[in-house]
Amino acid sequence: MRVDEAQASSLYLDLLRELKAINSLIVGSAAYPVLERTGELLPSRRVANTP
């Protein structure tokens, strides 16, 4: 029974990690451009464009 609980816990943590990654992609590709276009993106959230 303990092995099943550990596997379920591991699966849950993996799921949370993947959801966090998906959320980051959505924010980075959708929200930041909109905020930047409207002038509401904080300067501390901008990445310098260096080659």
Side-chain angles (χ1 to χ4, degrees), residues 19-48:
L19 287 173
K20 183 177 178 183
I22 291 169
N23 183 58
S24 295
L25 289 171
I26 290 171
V27 169
S29 64
Y32 278 2
V34 171
L35 290 172
E36 188 169 24
R37 192 171 34 241
T38 61
E40 297 182 36
L41 185 63
L42 297 174
S44 62
R45 295 295 183 190
R46 294 188 182 135
V47 176

